[in-house]
């Protein structure tokens, strides 16, 4: 059975209860003298991972899934969070080259999905009048609303999240026989991938990809700058889809 995106290596738990004290929604219980996550309450915010002094609260590593996808005959396409620019700064273009070197066919920015969501909301508001919405961009917020404020579920934006929208856009562009790998800073995107399979298929954090590059001896500072990439950044590159 697939692990949850955040899990506990029970055998290594030192029972310090730091995670219990710091979980913002009290989603960790002591059972058999170990600190276990109650998934019905968890919002996948990642606080316990940061707080555990013993590395016992872990983030599921999905790099092997991405490696297997790259070994298949299917096109593997990255939906890249725009935060890569601040994460890798002057090496951000080299990060794109590194993704090409790993074998990804295309790289497209998740921000395209956000742009499509904004346009859809504009149309919805024109037809239904104004209303405040809670954005569905953050899976943690969506879980918080569903689990702790169910009376406000109706206030969630009535469109798929930017990542799901971007994934649908990529499928429209490249066909259904593709694998979409989201790459970004966010742990909670893994639960979004689990809950909406195919939109995207796999979600990796920047940290996972950095470790992957290290394993494959790909050093951003030394990468061949002759590697070309085509970053799909704006919708106007695909006027046939935007009308
Ligand atoms: S991920 Fe967040 S909500 Fe879930 S158990 Fe850890 S601290 Fe609590
Ligand atoms: S913080 Fe880590 S070591 Fe301490 S109780 Fe939680 S999981 Fe166990």
């Amino acid at each position: 059975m697939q692990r949850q995106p955040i899990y506990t290596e029970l055998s290594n738990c030192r029972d310090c209860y730091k995670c219990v004290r710091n979980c913002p929604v009290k989603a960790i219980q002591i059972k058999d003298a170990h600190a276990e996550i109650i998934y019905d309450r968890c919002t996948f915010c990642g606080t316990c991972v940061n707080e555990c002094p013993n590395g016992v609260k872990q983030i599921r590593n999905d790099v092997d899934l991405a490696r297997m996808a790259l070994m298949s005959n299917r096109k593997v396409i990255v939906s890249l969070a725009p935060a890569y620019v601040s994460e890798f700064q002057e090496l951000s273009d080299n990060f794109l080259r590194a993704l090409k070197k790993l074998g990804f066919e295309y790289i497209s920015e998740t921000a395209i999905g956000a742009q499509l969501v904004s346009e859809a909301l504009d149309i919805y508001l024109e037809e239904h009048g104004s209303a405040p919405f809670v954005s569905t961009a953050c899976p943690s917020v969506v879980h918080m609303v569903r689990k702790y404020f169910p009376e406000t579920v109706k206030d969630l934006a009535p469109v798929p999240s930017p990542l799901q929208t971007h994934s649908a856009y990529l499928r429209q562009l490249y066909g259904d026989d593709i694998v979409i790998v989201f790459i970004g800073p966010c742990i909670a995107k893994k639960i979004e991938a689990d809950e909406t399979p195919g939109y995207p298929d796999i979600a990796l954090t920047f940290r996972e990809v950095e470790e992957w590059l290290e394993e494959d001896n790909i050093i951003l500072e030394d990468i061949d700058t002759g590697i070309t990439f085509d970053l799909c950044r704006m919708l106007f590159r695909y006027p046939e889809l935007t009308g």
Side-chain angles (χ1 to χ4, degrees):
M1 197 175 70
Q2 192 186 33
R3 278 186 161 138
Q4 292 278 353
I6 295 173
Y7 63 96
T8 310
E9 285 286 1
L10 284 178
S11 55
N12 296 332
C13 180
R14 300 282 185 274
D15 304 334
C16 69
Y17 304 155
K18 205 168 170 215
C19 59
V20 179
R21 287 193 298 277
N22 286 287
C23 172
V25 291
K26 307 296 172 212
I28 303 177
Q29 67 179 355
I30 304 301
K31 195 171 169 201
D32 301 328
H34 295 309
E36 272 189 10
I37 297 174
I38 308 164
Y39 288 104
D40 287 348
R41 295 182 61 85
C42 177
T43 59
F44 302 93
C45 68
T47 302
C48 55
V49 178
N50 292 335
E51 291 293 337
C52 176
N54 301 305
V56 175
K57 288 280 184 284
Q58 299 255 335
I59 301 166
R60 187 183 71 212
N61 189 310
D62 291 320
V63 166
D64 282 348
L65 289 178
R67 280 187 192 275
M68 280 193 296
L70 288 170
M71 285 190 285
S72 72
N73 291 326
R74 298 163 73 195
K75 281 193 173 94
V76 187
I77 300 177
V78 175
S79 172
L80 181 62
Y84 84 95
V85 176
S86 54
E87 179 75 14
F88 297 100
Q89 302 200 4
E90 69 278 6
L91 293 173
S92 53
D93 278 358
N94 279 10
F95 180 66
L96 302 179
R97 292 186 176 99
L99 294 179
K100 289 293 288 181
K101 206 165 158 59
L102 287 174
F104 291 105
E105 185 95 11
Y106 300 118
I107 308 163
S108 180
E109 280 200 273
T110 320
I112 290 174
Q115 190 176 335
L116 287 169
V117 164
S118 297
E119 289 168 12
L121 281 177
D122 277 349
I123 294 168
Y124 181 90
L125 288 174
E126 265 174 35
E127 289 174 359
H128 296 89
S130 64
F133 290 123
V134 178
S135 164
T136 56
C138 172
S140 267
V141 168
V142 173
H143 272 258
M144 175 73 91
V145 167
R146 286 195 191 133
K147 290 171 177 168
Y148 294 93
F149 304 97
E151 69 283 5
T152 59
V153 165
K154 62 179 175 5
D155 297 323
L156 288 170
V159 289
S161 75
L163 175 55
Q164 290 161 30
T165 305
H166 187 225
S167 299
Y169 167 81
L170 291 173
R171 287 193 185 284
Q172 190 181 350
L173 202 57
Y174 299 113
D176 271 337
D177 194 27
I178 58 173
V179 179
I180 299 170
V181 179
F182 170 79
I183 297 176
C186 176
I187 300 168
K189 289 288 193 290
K190 288 179 183 287
I191 193 69
E192 185 166 15
D194 292 355
E195 290 178 340
T196 54
Y199 295 90
D201 298 281
I202 301 165
L204 302 179
T205 62
F206 287 137
R207 180 72 53 83
E208 283 171 278
V209 177
E210 284 174 280
E211 287 170 2
W212 183 1
L213 294 174
E214 213 175 304
E215 279 167 29
D216 284 17
N217 290 318
I218 299 174
I219 300 162
L220 290 186
E221 286 82 356
D222 298 343
I223 204 157
D224 174 7
T225 51
I227 297 174
T228 56
F229 56 84
D230 184 18
L231 176 67
C232 308
R233 183 167 268 159
M234 300 297 286
L235 278 174
F236 62 68
R237 290 203 180 190
Y238 301 103
E240 72 276 17
L241 290 181
T242 57

